[in-house]
Amino acid sequence: MCENLIFIKKDDKVIKSDFMIAQYPVTIKEFQEMFEKQAGDPENAKYIKESTWMEAIKYCNLLNIKKELPLSYDENTGELIDENGERIEEILEIEGFRFPSSRVKGFRLPTSEEWEYVAKGRSLERQTGSYLKILQEIYTDWNIDTRCSEIEKMKSNTIGLFGILENREWYSDNKNLEGLKNKMCLWEEYICNYNNDLSYQVIRKISNDTELTGFRVTVGQKTR
């Protein structure tokens, strides 16, 4: 999970700071080994798609302990915390976009803005191709609700992130408009009224405590 991080170069109009994000979602093997369970996928070929939001933030904290980084979450509240364990009042907001505070030093879930930025293939160093074309191919092959779970079958977007176009994933921030927990990003197709073409948008969803999905980790600094 730390060997496949991709560096994302900021666009000041959309993302305020550079960050690193995992090329793949967390796999079943990585997830179970982190929680000291017997790995159900010894070949590390499938990603975890049955994680609660609370398990996802717990995974991030355990990864931080393993990598000797500060914790990122207060697991009692789901809030992001700084390197001293202090609650971060709010994610920095500029022109309607939310950004992670530089006070969060460890691994965490991406914010929804970061997730959408990279899902659309955005990075000032790497931006190429059309994510919409790949999405159309995905929707032709299978319905998004079935969600591909095998790493080798995942589609790559234009900057080399796998599974981020066809799967839904957990995200987090400290904006408490709908609650801090159970935040999910996913793609939704819709008809454009002016020409009846299919198009796609990222939507944010607040789920219940028992809903299950996958996730990938993000960190604002290089790690060893």
Side-chain angles (χ1 to χ4, degrees), residues 188-220:
E188 184 176 77
E189 62 180 4
Y190 64 98
I191 300 292
C192 296
N193 292 330
Y194 56 88
N195 59 5
N196 289 328
D197 283 345
L198 269 180
S199 193
Y200 306 89
Q201 63 182 352
V202 171
I203 63 172
R204 284 80 164 159
K205 175 183 175 184
I206 304 299
S207 305
N208 58 47
D209 286 345
T210 59
E211 190 153 359
L212 306 173
T213 194
F215 64 98
R216 72 186 68 218
V217 299
T218 302
V219 68

PDB file of all heavy atoms in Angstrom, residues 188-220:
ATOM      1  N   GLU A 188     -21.949   8.508 -11.106  1.00  0.00           N
ATOM      2  CA  GLU A 188     -23.355   8.355 -11.487  1.00  0.00           C
ATOM      3  C   GLU A 188     -23.515   8.804 -12.931  1.00  0.00           C
ATOM      4  O   GLU A 188     -22.988   9.838 -13.338  1.00  0.00           O
ATOM      5  CB  GLU A 188     -24.247   9.196 -10.581  1.00  0.00           C
ATOM      6  CG  GLU A 188     -25.730   9.018 -10.854  1.00  0.00           C
ATOM      7  CD  GLU A 188     -26.581   9.808  -9.860  1.00  0.00           C
ATOM      8  OE1 GLU A 188     -26.682  11.037 -10.023  1.00  0.00           O
ATOM      9  OE2 GLU A 188     -27.106   9.185  -8.926  1.00  0.00           O
ATOM     10  N   GLU A 189     -24.215   7.992 -13.714  1.00  0.00           N
ATOM     11  CA  GLU A 189     -24.466   8.391 -15.088  1.00  0.00           C
ATOM     12  C   GLU A 189     -25.794   9.128 -15.169  1.00  0.00           C
ATOM     13  O   GLU A 189     -26.705   8.883 -14.382  1.00  0.00           O
ATOM     14  CB  GLU A 189     -24.465   7.178 -16.027  1.00  0.00           C
ATOM     15  CG  GLU A 189     -25.539   6.144 -15.740  1.00  0.00           C
ATOM     16  CD  GLU A 189     -25.475   4.968 -16.701  1.00  0.00           C
ATOM     17  OE1 GLU A 189     -24.556   4.917 -17.528  1.00  0.00           O
ATOM     18  OE2 GLU A 189     -26.352   4.097 -16.624  1.00  0.00           O
ATOM     19  N   TYR A 190     -25.897  10.030 -16.115  1.00  0.00           N
ATOM     20  CA  TYR A 190     -27.142  10.779 -16.292  1.00  0.00           C
ATOM     21  C   TYR A 190     -27.255  11.207 -17.751  1.00  0.00           C
ATOM     22  O   TYR A 190     -26.293  11.180 -18.507  1.00  0.00           O
ATOM     23  CB  TYR A 190     -27.178  11.993 -15.363  1.00  0.00           C
ATOM     24  CG  TYR A 190     -26.114  13.027 -15.625  1.00  0.00           C
ATOM     25  CD1 TYR A 190     -26.384  14.169 -16.366  1.00  0.00           C
ATOM     26  CD2 TYR A 190     -24.817  12.864 -15.127  1.00  0.00           C
ATOM     27  CE1 TYR A 190     -25.396  15.119 -16.609  1.00  0.00           C
ATOM     28  CE2 TYR A 190     -23.827  13.811 -15.371  1.00  0.00           C
ATOM     29  CZ  TYR A 190     -24.129  14.932 -16.110  1.00  0.00           C
ATOM     30  OH  TYR A 190     -23.155  15.871 -16.351  1.00  0.00           O
ATOM     31  N   ILE A 191     -28.446  11.595 -18.131  1.00  0.00           N
ATOM     32  CA  ILE A 191     -28.700  12.042 -19.490  1.00  0.00           C
ATOM     33  C   ILE A 191     -28.577  13.559 -19.555  1.00  0.00           C
ATOM     34  O   ILE A 191     -29.184  14.278 -18.772  1.00  0.00           O
ATOM     35  CB  ILE A 191     -30.106  11.613 -19.954  1.00  0.00           C
ATOM     36  CG1 ILE A 191     -30.253  10.087 -19.926  1.00  0.00           C
ATOM     37  CG2 ILE A 191     -30.401  12.157 -21.359  1.00  0.00           C
ATOM     38  CD1 ILE A 191     -29.414   9.369 -20.950  1.00  0.00           C
ATOM     39  N   CYS A 192     -27.753  14.043 -20.485  1.00  0.00           N
ATOM     40  CA  CYS A 192     -27.660  15.488 -20.710  1.00  0.00           C
ATOM     41  C   CYS A 192     -28.897  15.936 -21.489  1.00  0.00           C
ATOM     42  O   CYS A 192     -29.178  15.433 -22.579  1.00  0.00           O
ATOM     43  CB  CYS A 192     -26.412  15.828 -21.516  1.00  0.00           C
ATOM     44  SG  CYS A 192     -24.874  15.436 -20.669  1.00  0.00           S
ATOM     45  N   ASN A 193     -29.643  16.844 -20.931  1.00  0.00           N
ATOM     46  CA  ASN A 193     -30.929  17.234 -21.516  1.00  0.00           C
ATOM     47  C   ASN A 193     -30.806  17.854 -22.904  1.00  0.00           C
ATOM     48  O   ASN A 193     -31.688  17.705 -23.738  1.00  0.00           O
ATOM     49  CB  ASN A 193     -31.644  18.221 -20.596  1.00  0.00           C
ATOM     50  CG  ASN A 193     -32.091  17.555 -19.301  1.00  0.00           C
ATOM     51  OD1 ASN A 193     -32.373  16.367 -19.297  1.00  0.00           O
ATOM     52  ND2 ASN A 193     -32.138  18.312 -18.218  1.00  0.00           N
ATOM     53  N   TYR A 194     -29.694  18.551 -23.137  1.00  0.00           N
ATOM     54  CA  TYR A 194     -29.616  19.287 -24.393  1.00  0.00           C
ATOM     55  C   TYR A 194     -29.380  18.405 -25.602  1.00  0.00           C
ATOM     56  O   TYR A 194     -29.680  18.778 -26.734  1.00  0.00           O
ATOM     57  CB  TYR A 194     -28.523  20.369 -24.319  1.00  0.00           C
ATOM     58  CG  TYR A 194     -27.154  19.862 -23.960  1.00  0.00           C
ATOM     59  CD1 TYR A 194     -26.281  19.413 -24.937  1.00  0.00           C
ATOM     60  CD2 TYR A 194     -26.736  19.838 -22.627  1.00  0.00           C
ATOM     61  CE1 TYR A 194     -25.021  18.947 -24.603  1.00  0.00           C
ATOM     62  CE2 TYR A 194     -25.477  19.365 -22.285  1.00  0.00           C
ATOM     63  CZ  TYR A 194     -24.626  18.943 -23.280  1.00  0.00           C
ATOM     64  OH  TYR A 194     -23.378  18.479 -22.946  1.00  0.00           O
ATOM     65  N   ASN A 195     -28.823  17.204 -25.411  1.00  0.00           N
ATOM     66  CA  ASN A 195     -28.579  16.339 -26.568  1.00  0.00           C
ATOM     67  C   ASN A 195     -28.852  14.864 -26.288  1.00  0.00           C
ATOM     68  O   ASN A 195     -28.573  14.016 -27.136  1.00  0.00           O
ATOM     69  CB  ASN A 195     -27.150  16.499 -27.063  1.00  0.00           C
ATOM     70  CG  ASN A 195     -26.120  16.164 -25.987  1.00  0.00           C
ATOM     71  OD1 ASN A 195     -26.473  15.710 -24.890  1.00  0.00           O
ATOM     72  ND2 ASN A 195     -24.853  16.389 -26.288  1.00  0.00           N
ATOM     73  N   ASN A 196     -29.366  14.565 -25.087  1.00  0.00           N
ATOM     74  CA  ASN A 196     -29.709  13.190 -24.706  1.00  0.00           C
ATOM     75  C   ASN A 196     -28.509  12.240 -24.683  1.00  0.00           C
ATOM     76  O   ASN A 196     -28.660  11.036 -24.783  1.00  0.00           O
ATOM     77  CB  ASN A 196     -30.793  12.613 -25.624  1.00  0.00           C
ATOM     78  CG  ASN A 196     -32.134  13.254 -25.368  1.00  0.00           C
ATOM     79  OD1 ASN A 196     -32.438  13.635 -24.242  1.00  0.00           O
ATOM     80  ND2 ASN A 196     -32.950  13.386 -26.411  1.00  0.00           N
ATOM     81  N   ASP A 197     -27.302  12.792 -24.553  1.00  0.00           N
ATOM     82  CA  ASP A 197     -26.115  11.952 -24.417  1.00  0.00           C
ATOM     83  C   ASP A 197     -25.929  11.529 -22.965  1.00  0.00           C
ATOM     84  O   ASP A 197     -26.280  12.264 -22.043  1.00  0.00           O
ATOM     85  CB  ASP A 197     -24.862  12.711 -24.866  1.00  0.00           C
ATOM     86  CG  ASP A 197     -24.742  12.795 -26.370  1.00  0.00           C
ATOM     87  OD1 ASP A 197     -25.460  12.040 -27.058  1.00  0.00           O
ATOM     88  OD2 ASP A 197     -23.945  13.614 -26.854  1.00  0.00           O
ATOM     89  N   LEU A 198     -25.350  10.337 -22.783  1.00  0.00           N
ATOM     90  CA  LEU A 198     -24.982   9.913 -21.439  1.00  0.00           C
ATOM     91  C   LEU A 198     -23.759  10.698 -20.973  1.00  0.00           C
ATOM     92  O   LEU A 198     -22.813  10.900 -21.725  1.00  0.00           O
ATOM     93  CB  LEU A 198     -24.643   8.420 -21.417  1.00  0.00           C
ATOM     94  CG  LEU A 198     -25.764   7.436 -21.118  1.00  0.00           C
ATOM     95  CD1 LEU A 198     -25.216   6.019 -21.151  1.00  0.00           C
ATOM     96  CD2 LEU A 198     -26.410   7.699 -19.774  1.00  0.00           C
ATOM     97  N   SER A 199     -23.768  11.112 -19.736  1.00  0.00           N
ATOM     98  CA  SER A 199     -22.597  11.726 -19.149  1.00  0.00           C
ATOM     99  C   SER A 199     -22.440  11.191 -17.734  1.00  0.00           C
ATOM    100  O   SER A 199     -23.231  10.361 -17.289  1.00  0.00           O
ATOM    101  CB  SER A 199     -22.719  13.253 -19.149  1.00  0.00           C
ATOM    102  OG  SER A 199     -21.467  13.840 -18.852  1.00  0.00           O
ATOM    103  N   TYR A 200     -21.408  11.656 -17.028  1.00  0.00           N
ATOM    104  CA  TYR A 200     -21.090  11.084 -15.722  1.00  0.00           C
ATOM    105  C   TYR A 200     -20.669  12.180 -14.762  1.00  0.00           C
ATOM    106  O   TYR A 200     -20.074  13.172 -15.157  1.00  0.00           O
ATOM    107  CB  TYR A 200     -19.949  10.066 -15.853  1.00  0.00           C
ATOM    108  CG  TYR A 200     -20.218   9.000 -16.879  1.00  0.00           C
ATOM    109  CD1 TYR A 200     -19.852   9.193 -18.197  1.00  0.00           C
ATOM    110  CD2 TYR A 200     -20.868   7.827 -16.530  1.00  0.00           C
ATOM    111  CE1 TYR A 200     -20.125   8.237 -19.167  1.00  0.00           C
ATOM    112  CE2 TYR A 200     -21.135   6.864 -17.479  1.00  0.00           C
ATOM    113  CZ  TYR A 200     -20.767   7.060 -18.795  1.00  0.00           C
ATOM    114  OH  TYR A 200     -21.041   6.116 -19.733  1.00  0.00           O
ATOM    115  N   GLN A 201     -20.992  11.977 -13.500  1.00  0.00           N
ATOM    116  CA  GLN A 201     -20.555  12.915 -12.479  1.00  0.00           C
ATOM    117  C   GLN A 201     -20.200  12.155 -11.210  1.00  0.00           C
ATOM    118  O   GLN A 201     -20.717  11.064 -10.956  1.00  0.00           O
ATOM    119  CB  GLN A 201     -21.648  13.936 -12.177  1.00  0.00           C
ATOM    120  CG  GLN A 201     -22.924  13.338 -11.595  1.00  0.00           C
ATOM    121  CD  GLN A 201     -23.997  14.379 -11.365  1.00  0.00           C
ATOM    122  OE1 GLN A 201     -23.746  15.566 -11.508  1.00  0.00           O
ATOM    123  NE2 GLN A 201     -25.187  13.944 -11.016  1.00  0.00           N
ATOM    124  N   VAL A 202     -19.302  12.741 -10.438  1.00  0.00           N
ATOM    125  CA  VAL A 202     -18.981  12.190  -9.123  1.00  0.00           C
ATOM    126  C   VAL A 202     -20.032  12.694  -8.138  1.00  0.00           C
ATOM    127  O   VAL A 202     -20.342  13.882  -8.107  1.00  0.00           O
ATOM    128  CB  VAL A 202     -17.579  12.632  -8.671  1.00  0.00           C
ATOM    129  CG1 VAL A 202     -17.330  12.240  -7.207  1.00  0.00           C
ATOM    130  CG2 VAL A 202     -16.515  12.006  -9.562  1.00  0.00           C
ATOM    131  N   ILE A 203     -20.586  11.794  -7.375  1.00  0.00           N
ATOM    132  CA  ILE A 203     -21.531  12.200  -6.337  1.00  0.00           C
ATOM    133  C   ILE A 203     -20.997  11.786  -4.974  1.00  0.00           C
ATOM    134  O   ILE A 203     -20.192  10.857  -4.855  1.00  0.00           O
ATOM    135  CB  ILE A 203     -22.942  11.611  -6.557  1.00  0.00           C
ATOM    136  CG1 ILE A 203     -22.931  10.078  -6.478  1.00  0.00           C
ATOM    137  CG2 ILE A 203     -23.525  12.077  -7.879  1.00  0.00           C
ATOM    138  CD1 ILE A 203     -24.321   9.477  -6.489  1.00  0.00           C
ATOM    139  N   ARG A 204     -21.413  12.514  -3.953  1.00  0.00           N
ATOM    140  CA  ARG A 204     -21.047  12.217  -2.571  1.00  0.00           C
ATOM    141  C   ARG A 204     -22.272  11.637  -1.880  1.00  0.00           C
ATOM    142  O   ARG A 204     -23.369  12.132  -2.054  1.00  0.00           O
ATOM    143  CB  ARG A 204     -20.609  13.484  -1.844  1.00  0.00           C
ATOM    144  CG  ARG A 204     -19.207  13.961  -2.199  1.00  0.00           C
ATOM    145  CD  ARG A 204     -19.159  14.713  -3.493  1.00  0.00           C
ATOM    146  NE  ARG A 204     -17.917  15.462  -3.610  1.00  0.00           N
ATOM    147  CZ  ARG A 204     -17.428  15.881  -4.759  1.00  0.00           C
ATOM    148  NH1 ARG A 204     -18.069  15.644  -5.901  1.00  0.00           N
ATOM    149  NH2 ARG A 204     -16.305  16.556  -4.790  1.00  0.00           N
ATOM    150  N   LYS A 205     -22.053  10.625  -1.094  1.00  0.00           N
ATOM    151  CA  LYS A 205     -23.159   9.936  -0.446  1.00  0.00           C
ATOM    152  C   LYS A 205     -22.817   9.688   1.014  1.00  0.00           C
ATOM    153  O   LYS A 205     -21.685   9.349   1.341  1.00  0.00           O
ATOM    154  CB  LYS A 205     -23.414   8.600  -1.161  1.00  0.00           C
ATOM    155  CG  LYS A 205     -24.469   7.721  -0.517  1.00  0.00           C
ATOM    156  CD  LYS A 205     -24.580   6.395  -1.262  1.00  0.00           C
ATOM    157  CE  LYS A 205     -25.528   5.448  -0.569  1.00  0.00           C
ATOM    158  NZ  LYS A 205     -25.570   4.118  -1.236  1.00  0.00           N
ATOM    159  N   ILE A 206     -23.775   9.881   1.888  1.00  0.00           N
ATOM    160  CA  ILE A 206     -23.620   9.519   3.291  1.00  0.00           C
ATOM    161  C   ILE A 206     -24.340   8.192   3.500  1.00  0.00           C
ATOM    162  O   ILE A 206     -25.550   8.081   3.276  1.00  0.00           O
ATOM    163  CB  ILE A 206     -24.207  10.589   4.224  1.00  0.00           C
ATOM    164  CG1 ILE A 206     -23.572  11.956   3.935  1.00  0.00           C
ATOM    165  CG2 ILE A 206     -23.996  10.199   5.686  1.00  0.00           C
ATOM    166  CD1 ILE A 206     -22.087  12.021   4.141  1.00  0.00           C
ATOM    167  N   SER A 207     -23.600   7.177   3.918  1.00  0.00           N
ATOM    168  CA  SER A 207     -24.142   5.829   4.060  1.00  0.00           C
ATOM    169  C   SER A 207     -24.412   5.517   5.523  1.00  0.00           C
ATOM    170  O   SER A 207     -24.064   6.286   6.422  1.00  0.00           O
ATOM    171  CB  SER A 207     -23.153   4.821   3.476  1.00  0.00           C
ATOM    172  OG  SER A 207     -22.837   5.159   2.146  1.00  0.00           O
ATOM    173  N   ASN A 208     -24.994   4.352   5.754  1.00  0.00           N
ATOM    174  CA  ASN A 208     -25.232   3.942   7.138  1.00  0.00           C
ATOM    175  C   ASN A 208     -24.003   3.228   7.698  1.00  0.00           C
ATOM    176  O   ASN A 208     -23.048   2.948   6.977  1.00  0.00           O
ATOM    177  CB  ASN A 208     -26.488   3.060   7.237  1.00  0.00           C
ATOM    178  CG  ASN A 208     -26.385   1.815   6.370  1.00  0.00           C
ATOM    179  OD1 ASN A 208     -25.378   1.120   6.384  1.00  0.00           O
ATOM    180  ND2 ASN A 208     -27.429   1.526   5.611  1.00  0.00           N
ATOM    181  N   ASP A 209     -24.047   2.934   8.982  1.00  0.00           N
ATOM    182  CA  ASP A 209     -22.874   2.363   9.664  1.00  0.00           C
ATOM    183  C   ASP A 209     -22.499   0.977   9.157  1.00  0.00           C
ATOM    184  O   ASP A 209     -21.361   0.545   9.329  1.00  0.00           O
ATOM    185  CB  ASP A 209     -23.130   2.276  11.170  1.00  0.00           C
ATOM    186  CG  ASP A 209     -23.070   3.640  11.845  1.00  0.00           C
ATOM    187  OD1 ASP A 209     -22.558   4.584  11.212  1.00  0.00           O
ATOM    188  OD2 ASP A 209     -23.543   3.756  12.983  1.00  0.00           O
ATOM    189  N   THR A 210     -23.444   0.283   8.535  1.00  0.00           N
ATOM    190  CA  THR A 210     -23.189  -1.099   8.147  1.00  0.00           C
ATOM    191  C   THR A 210     -22.869  -1.255   6.658  1.00  0.00           C
ATOM    192  O   THR A 210     -22.547  -2.348   6.219  1.00  0.00           O
ATOM    193  CB  THR A 210     -24.405  -1.982   8.479  1.00  0.00           C
ATOM    194  OG1 THR A 210     -25.561  -1.477   7.790  1.00  0.00           O
ATOM    195  CG2 THR A 210     -24.679  -1.991   9.976  1.00  0.00           C
ATOM    196  N   GLU A 211     -22.960  -0.170   5.894  1.00  0.00           N
ATOM    197  CA  GLU A 211     -22.669  -0.288   4.468  1.00  0.00           C
ATOM    198  C   GLU A 211     -21.184  -0.564   4.259  1.00  0.00           C
ATOM    199  O   GLU A 211     -20.326  -0.062   4.984  1.00  0.00           O
ATOM    200  CB  GLU A 211     -23.077   0.979   3.721  1.00  0.00           C
ATOM    201  CG  GLU A 211     -23.009   0.817   2.212  1.00  0.00           C
ATOM    202  CD  GLU A 211     -23.969   1.717   1.474  1.00  0.00           C
ATOM    203  OE1 GLU A 211     -24.715   2.458   2.115  1.00  0.00           O
ATOM    204  OE2 GLU A 211     -23.969   1.660   0.234  1.00  0.00           O
ATOM    205  N   LEU A 212     -20.886  -1.355   3.241  1.00  0.00           N
ATOM    206  CA  LEU A 212     -19.531  -1.830   2.998  1.00  0.00           C
ATOM    207  C   LEU A 212     -19.044  -1.393   1.624  1.00  0.00           C
ATOM    208  O   LEU A 212     -19.786  -1.457   0.644  1.00  0.00           O
ATOM    209  CB  LEU A 212     -19.474  -3.357   3.091  1.00  0.00           C
ATOM    210  CG  LEU A 212     -20.011  -3.995   4.373  1.00  0.00           C
ATOM    211  CD1 LEU A 212     -20.040  -5.506   4.241  1.00  0.00           C
ATOM    212  CD2 LEU A 212     -19.188  -3.571   5.577  1.00  0.00           C
ATOM    213  N   THR A 213     -17.792  -0.970   1.551  1.00  0.00           N
ATOM    214  CA  THR A 213     -17.168  -0.664   0.268  1.00  0.00           C
ATOM    215  C   THR A 213     -15.661  -0.630   0.436  1.00  0.00           C
ATOM    216  O   THR A 213     -15.134  -0.901   1.515  1.00  0.00           O
ATOM    217  CB  THR A 213     -17.707   0.669  -0.296  1.00  0.00           C
ATOM    218  OG1 THR A 213     -17.318   0.764  -1.669  1.00  0.00           O
ATOM    219  CG2 THR A 213     -17.183   1.875   0.458  1.00  0.00           C
ATOM    220  N   GLY A 214     -14.942  -0.298  -0.630  1.00  0.00           N
ATOM    221  CA  GLY A 214     -13.486  -0.263  -0.588  1.00  0.00           C
ATOM    222  C   GLY A 214     -12.964   1.146  -0.353  1.00  0.00           C
ATOM    223  O   GLY A 214     -13.720   2.100  -0.226  1.00  0.00           O
ATOM    224  N   PHE A 215     -11.634   1.258  -0.324  1.00  0.00           N
ATOM    225  CA  PHE A 215     -11.008   2.558  -0.099  1.00  0.00           C
ATOM    226  C   PHE A 215      -9.550   2.499  -0.518  1.00  0.00           C
ATOM    227  O   PHE A 215      -8.986   1.429  -0.708  1.00  0.00           O
ATOM    228  CB  PHE A 215     -11.113   2.977   1.376  1.00  0.00           C
ATOM    229  CG  PHE A 215     -10.380   2.073   2.335  1.00  0.00           C
ATOM    230  CD1 PHE A 215      -9.110   2.402   2.787  1.00  0.00           C
ATOM    231  CD2 PHE A 215     -10.948   0.888   2.779  1.00  0.00           C
ATOM    232  CE1 PHE A 215      -8.421   1.576   3.677  1.00  0.00           C
ATOM    233  CE2 PHE A 215     -10.279   0.048   3.668  1.00  0.00           C
ATOM    234  CZ  PHE A 215      -9.011   0.399   4.114  1.00  0.00           C
ATOM    235  N   ARG A 216      -8.937   3.656  -0.670  1.00  0.00           N
ATOM    236  CA  ARG A 216      -7.497   3.764  -0.892  1.00  0.00           C
ATOM    237  C   ARG A 216      -6.954   4.860   0.009  1.00  0.00           C
ATOM    238  O   ARG A 216      -7.711   5.724   0.467  1.00  0.00           O
ATOM    239  CB  ARG A 216      -7.169   4.015  -2.366  1.00  0.00           C
ATOM    240  CG  ARG A 216      -7.508   5.397  -2.870  1.00  0.00           C
ATOM    241  CD  ARG A 216      -7.265   5.477  -4.369  1.00  0.00           C
ATOM    242  NE  ARG A 216      -8.203   4.665  -5.102  1.00  0.00           N
ATOM    243  CZ  ARG A 216      -7.894   3.954  -6.202  1.00  0.00           C
ATOM    244  NH1 ARG A 216      -6.669   3.982  -6.680  1.00  0.00           N
ATOM    245  NH2 ARG A 216      -8.804   3.224  -6.822  1.00  0.00           N
ATOM    246  N   VAL A 217      -5.668   4.821   0.265  1.00  0.00           N
ATOM    247  CA  VAL A 217      -5.063   5.754   1.215  1.00  0.00           C
ATOM    248  C   VAL A 217      -4.380   6.910   0.492  1.00  0.00           C
ATOM    249  O   VAL A 217      -3.971   6.791  -0.655  1.00  0.00           O
ATOM    250  CB  VAL A 217      -4.073   5.057   2.171  1.00  0.00           C
ATOM    251  CG1 VAL A 217      -4.780   4.000   3.009  1.00  0.00           C
ATOM    252  CG2 VAL A 217      -2.911   4.436   1.385  1.00  0.00           C
ATOM    253  N   THR A 218      -4.274   8.006   1.222  1.00  0.00           N
ATOM    254  CA  THR A 218      -3.648   9.226   0.743  1.00  0.00           C
ATOM    255  C   THR A 218      -2.727   9.733   1.839  1.00  0.00           C
ATOM    256  O   THR A 218      -2.978   9.515   3.024  1.00  0.00           O
ATOM    257  CB  THR A 218      -4.732  10.300   0.470  1.00  0.00           C
ATOM    258  OG1 THR A 218      -5.653   9.777  -0.479  1.00  0.00           O
ATOM    259  CG2 THR A 218      -4.129  11.580  -0.071  1.00  0.00           C
ATOM    260  N   VAL A 219      -1.654  10.397   1.452  1.00  0.00           N
ATOM    261  CA  VAL A 219      -0.763  11.015   2.432  1.00  0.00           C
ATOM    262  C   VAL A 219      -0.190  12.285   1.820  1.00  0.00           C
ATOM    263  O   VAL A 219       0.017  12.361   0.599  1.00  0.00           O
ATOM    264  CB  VAL A 219       0.360  10.031   2.858  1.00  0.00           C
ATOM    265  CG1 VAL A 219       1.319   9.752   1.724  1.00  0.00           C
ATOM    266  CG2 VAL A 219       1.096  10.540   4.096  1.00  0.00           C
ATOM    267  N   GLY A 220       0.022  13.270   2.654  1.00  0.00           N
ATOM    268  CA  GLY A 220       0.480  14.563   2.163  1.00  0.00           C
ATOM    269  C   GLY A 220       1.978  14.717   2.096  1.00  0.00           C
ATOM    270  O   GLY A 220       2.492  15.784   1.796  1.00  0.00           O
TER     271      GLY A 220
END
